[in-house]
Amino acid sequence: MVRNYLDKYCVLLNKDIYEEYTPYGLLVDFRFYLPKLKSEILTNCLEFEIDKKIEYLNLVSNEVSNLIIEDWKNISVVNKWLTMFETSFDNIINSNLNKEAINVYLDADYAQFEEEDDDIIKRRQIFDFQLDFFNVFKNYFIADIVNFCNSTKSDFTKKKDVKTTINKPFKDEYLIAFKKAITDERQIKETCFDLVYESIIHYVPYLENEVMENLLLLNTDKKDDYLNFAIDTLKKIEFSDCDENTISKWLEKYNSPISEFPHFKNEELKHWLNRYYNGYADDPKDYDFILDIQIDFYCYAAGLEAQKMITFLESKKSNAVNKTQLQEETTEKIKWIGKPSQLGFIIGKLAELGYIDAPQRINGETNFTQFAKQVKNTFDVETTESTLSKYLNLESEKGSETVRKFDENGFDIPHIKQIS
């Protein structure tokens, strides 16, 4: 069991830090350690059986609860300061305060106010202000971890009740953890893309080991069933089919090749992927931009890691299954001698006019990634699935250029309803 971040968190809660920190500095450190501690807690939980998980969560919860400062348990003790600066506690916790008046008090060194009578008064006021916020911040971040432990404990309790009636013949804890890591884009609001991606790949070797252990323990006739179950679990994830198209606009904007993912050389792109959404923007407009770019990269990363894991699982199937798949993949294809853009336009147009049933996403929109895969499996054409998906989308920049050329030459096919 690791407790690296729990120890660091408790130091912030327990240590007499008034001479070393300002309240704002303490808030910044709590924001930094909070997501890392939650990740550490979940990782530790994976090592235990359910009863031990609950005991561990109780241990963490009790350890931080013992550090509650009773006189400041109620946030209302800072209401007079919130009224004075016309702000709210949520705004302080969640926003960048560099340009707000209250930050003068949150980040001030009160010791410098000591020479004049007015300074002495202001020094006393700042001291009282900071004492209140030091202790309220500590209690707030104690409550956050306690609530997190209780919520996680509740989830495990429910699983325990289910396990009394369902006994799986294989382990799936890391499969569940990996699935959770690539299905929750809301993590971006708590930290930044770089750290979220690290948390995703953190589970990869553990899941691979879990798969290999299951294959060693399962009967031969059950191994492919287990692998198909795991593959189906990952394929049903919302972002599992996200590909380069998801981030293509950002790659073009910052002139960065996909081959550099996730360690891009462009300093501006690196800057935005490493920014915290929660309280680290220089301008209010930054928040929407940070969320926009980081969620796109999260979806791409989720799809990338899901596909890698699916490939790994497929590789572990029995030879009979792999041989069948190989035969299907080597079935003779139709040779396309035109340009890939022309193939994309014609097939895309046939789908638009009702002649082809193109695959769709949950929201009803065409899944051009899957569509390109089907077309590529049918036609022998020299292009990538990523490029072909752009040509199939007649409204994309690449697709619309081909549409224009065909229209100029009088290309026309009636809608299927007109001739049915």
Side-chain angles (χ1 to χ4, degrees):
M1 180 179 72
V2 178
R3 50 175 296 141
N4 182 29
Y5 288 110
L6 178 59
D7 286 341
K8 292 178 179 178
Y9 203 78
C10 286
V11 167
L12 290 178
L13 294 170
N14 198 27
K15 190 177 179 183
D16 186 3
I17 55 178
Y18 306 126
E19 297 297 328
E20 301 176 27
Y21 275 88
T22 64
Y24 185 73
L26 182 65
L27 176 60
V28 169
D29 273 10
F30 271 128
R31 284 172 174 166
F32 176 77
Y33 285 120
L34 182 63
K36 293 179 179 291
L37 174 55
K38 289 180 178 179
S39 177
E40 179 178 276
I41 290 170
L42 291 176
T43 300
N44 284 336
C45 284
L46 292 171
E47 298 180 8
F48 305 122
E49 296 298 326
I50 287 183
D51 286 339
K52 293 295 183 182
K53 294 180 197 292
I54 295 173
E55 289 180 16
Y56 165 69
L57 291 167
N58 285 335
L59 175 71
V60 174
S61 181
N62 290 337
E63 186 164 348
V64 295
S65 294
N66 288 334
L67 300 174
I68 286 176
I69 306 165
E70 291 294 331
D71 291 343
W72 282 269
K73 284 181 70 173
N74 194 330
I75 292 178
S76 64
V77 298
V78 296
N79 281 350
K80 61 181 179 181
W81 305 115
L82 300 175
T83 302
M84 176 178 171
F85 289 100
E86 298 180 345
T87 188
S88 66
F89 189 74
D90 285 344
N91 192 41
I92 293 173
I93 289 292
N94 298 316
S95 301
N96 184 337
L97 299 169
N98 287 339
K99 298 178 182 179
E100 293 197 20
I102 196 170
N103 198 46
V104 174
Y105 274 43
L106 282 171
D107 209 23
D109 178 5
Y110 64 85
Q112 65 182 313
F113 302 98
E114 57 185 9
E115 296 181 0
E116 305 293 337
D117 289 343
D118 289 346
D119 280 352
I120 293 174
I121 294 172
K122 190 168 185 179
R123 181 174 184 257
R124 183 69 247 179
Q125 186 181 49
I126 291 178
F127 177 82
D128 291 341
F129 172 96
Q130 292 194 349
L131 181 63
D132 285 341
F133 274 96
F134 268 127
N135 294 319
V136 167
F137 283 160
K138 286 184 177 183
N139 285 342
Y140 175 87
F141 285 98
I142 287 172
D144 195 305
I145 288 299
V146 171
N147 291 336
F148 176 77
C149 288
N150 288 339
S151 174
T152 307
K153 188 167 59 177
S154 176
D155 290 341
F156 287 136
T157 301
K158 291 176 183 176
K159 288 180 183 178
K160 181 180 178 181
D161 293 339
V162 171
K163 283 194 173 184
T164 59
T165 57
I166 300 176
N167 184 22
K168 290 182 181 177
F170 54 82
K171 297 179 179 179
D172 64 353
E173 287 193 36
Y174 284 106
L175 177 62
I176 293 171
F178 180 73
K179 177 184 175 182
K180 183 175 181 180
I182 61 175
T183 53
D184 186 11
E185 74 277 18
R186 292 171 297 178
Q187 299 173 82
I188 295 298
K189 287 191 175 183
E190 298 179 4
T191 175
C192 66
F193 167 75
D194 285 350
L195 290 178
V196 170
Y197 185 57
E198 284 183 18
S199 71
I200 292 175
I201 61 177
H202 166 80
Y203 290 111
V204 171
Y206 295 102
L207 176 53
E208 290 178 347
N209 287 340
E210 180 178 86
V211 170
M212 298 306 295
E213 184 177 349
N214 283 332
L215 293 177
L216 284 173
L217 298 174
L218 287 169
N219 292 331
T220 302
D221 61 339
K222 297 296 183 183
K223 292 181 180 181
D224 284 343
D225 289 339
Y226 158 68
L227 291 168
N228 287 330
F229 164 78
I231 291 169
D232 184 62
T233 297
L234 296 180
K235 283 185 175 181
K236 287 178 178 177
I237 291 171
E238 181 181 0
F239 309 124
S240 64
D241 60 356
C242 289
D243 63 3
E244 184 182 337
N245 291 330
T246 310
I247 58 172
S248 59
K249 66 178 180 181
W250 303 114
L251 298 179
E252 292 174 9
K253 179 179 177 67
Y254 295 107
N255 193 27
S256 297
I258 190 65
S259 59
E260 291 180 358
F261 179 89
H263 305 297
F264 294 100
K265 296 177 181 178
N266 183 285
E267 292 298 327
E268 191 175 359
L269 179 56
K270 286 166 60 177
H271 165 80
W272 288 115
L273 293 180
N274 196 38
R275 291 304 294 273
Y276 278 58
Y277 172 80
N278 188 357
Y280 286 77
D282 297 323
D283 186 294
K285 295 179 182 177
D286 287 351
Y287 289 110
D288 289 339
F289 185 81
I290 291 171
L291 197 60
D292 190 18
I293 187 172
Q294 293 202 15
I295 283 185
D296 281 351
F297 272 86
Y298 171 85
C299 292
Y300 170 72
L304 176 68
E305 295 304 322
Q307 289 303 317
K308 284 182 182 178
M309 188 54 63
I310 289 171
T311 300
F312 171 78
L313 292 165
E314 292 281 7
S315 72
K316 302 304 174 186
K317 286 187 176 181
S318 66
N319 291 333
V321 175
N322 286 330
K323 185 176 180 180
T324 301
Q325 289 180 338
L326 183 62
Q327 289 174 343
E328 292 175 354
E329 292 173 359
T330 55
T331 301
E332 188 173 356
K333 300 179 182 179
I334 301 172
K335 178 67 176 177
W336 181 262
I337 59 175
K339 294 181 178 180
S341 59
Q342 296 165 347
L343 174 63
F345 166 78
I346 292 173
I347 300 299
K349 196 68 176 177
L350 290 174
E352 184 182 88
L353 296 172
Y355 293 92
I356 291 177
D357 186 15
Q360 294 184 334
R361 297 184 185 276
I362 297 174
N363 61 8
E365 296 181 358
T366 300
N367 186 334
F368 289 104
T369 300
Q370 189 65 29
F371 197 11
K373 189 186 297 292
Q374 292 178 354
V375 175
K376 196 81 164 59
N377 287 337
T378 305
F379 291 89
D380 179 8
V381 55
E382 294 184 2
T383 187
T384 64
E385 290 178 6
S386 176
T387 299
L388 185 57
S389 69
K390 296 173 183 176
Y391 291 131
L392 287 166
N393 183 358
L394 305 185
E395 296 181 358
S396 70
E397 185 176 349
K398 288 183 177 292
S400 59
E401 176 62 22
T402 311
V403 170
R404 183 183 62 79
K405 291 180 180 179
F406 271 84
D407 286 345
E408 289 176 352
N409 286 275
F411 182 88
D412 181 58
I413 296 179
H415 195 283
I416 191 170
K417 293 181 180 179
Q418 294 179 248
I419 56 175
S420 297

